[in-house]
Amino acid sequence: QVQLVESGGGLVQPGGSLRLSCAASGRIFSINRMGWYRQAPGQQRKLVAYITSGGSTYYADSVKGRFTISRDNANNTMYLQMNSLKPEDTAVYYCNVEARRYAWSSWDDYWGQGTQVTVSS
């Protein structure tokens, strides 16, 4: 099985910064896309950013210029550097990884448990 362990969430004041980490472990042959989603209370889960195995990135308009996604392929770890945080960024952030366990396996999506990010004064 593939497990995703998230860390780095917490409470910060507006304008502050947080760095989220997502480490994939278990039997993993390869990882394609890695991304972050977030879900605020009463809202749908939305894509925040993703990064491909080749390093191409995508950002939602709401976080462009403030968030930076990166990955460490050697350790199957993904990061989300969040700067200039706003109250609107408050949500549970979920790590998502597209991976396969063996060369002959199908690609599957895996999700982390989520980490709470709260931006308030």
Side-chain angles (χ1 to χ4, degrees), residues 82-104:
M82 305 185 293
N83 298 324
S84 302
L85 283 163
K86 305 174 181 179
E88 306 91 270
D89 297 318
T90 296
V92 176
Y93 284 69
Y94 296 91
C95 174
N96 173 257
V97 171
E98 183 184 27
R100 58 183 180 181
R101 302 184 68 234
Y102 300 94
W104 54 87

Side-chain angles (χ1 to χ4, degrees), residues 25-106:
S25 62
R27 181 65 180 86
I28 302 172
F29 176 75
S30 63
I31 295 175
N32 185 20
R33 190 186 70 244
M34 305 181 79
W36 290 97
Y37 291 72
R38 68 186 183 187
Q39 186 170 24
Q43 303 292 315
Q44 295 182 333
R45 188 173 299 184
K46 298 180 293 184
L47 175 65
V48 176
Y50 70 71
I51 183 167
T52 69
S53 60
S56 298
T57 59
Y58 163 86
Y59 298 94
D61 288 341
S62 58
V63 306
K64 284 182 179 177
R66 300 188 298 119
F67 291 10
T68 302
I69 191 170
S70 61
R71 62 191 285 174
D72 178 356
N73 291 326
N75 294 293
N76 288 332
T77 303
M78 172 179 62
Y79 306 95
L80 184 67
Q81 179 66 47
M82 305 185 293
N83 298 324
S84 302
L85 283 163
K86 305 174 181 179
E88 306 91 270
D89 297 318
T90 296
V92 176
Y93 284 69
Y94 296 91
C95 174
N96 173 257
V97 171
E98 183 184 27
R100 58 183 180 181
R101 302 184 68 234
Y102 300 94
W104 54 87
S105 300
S106 61

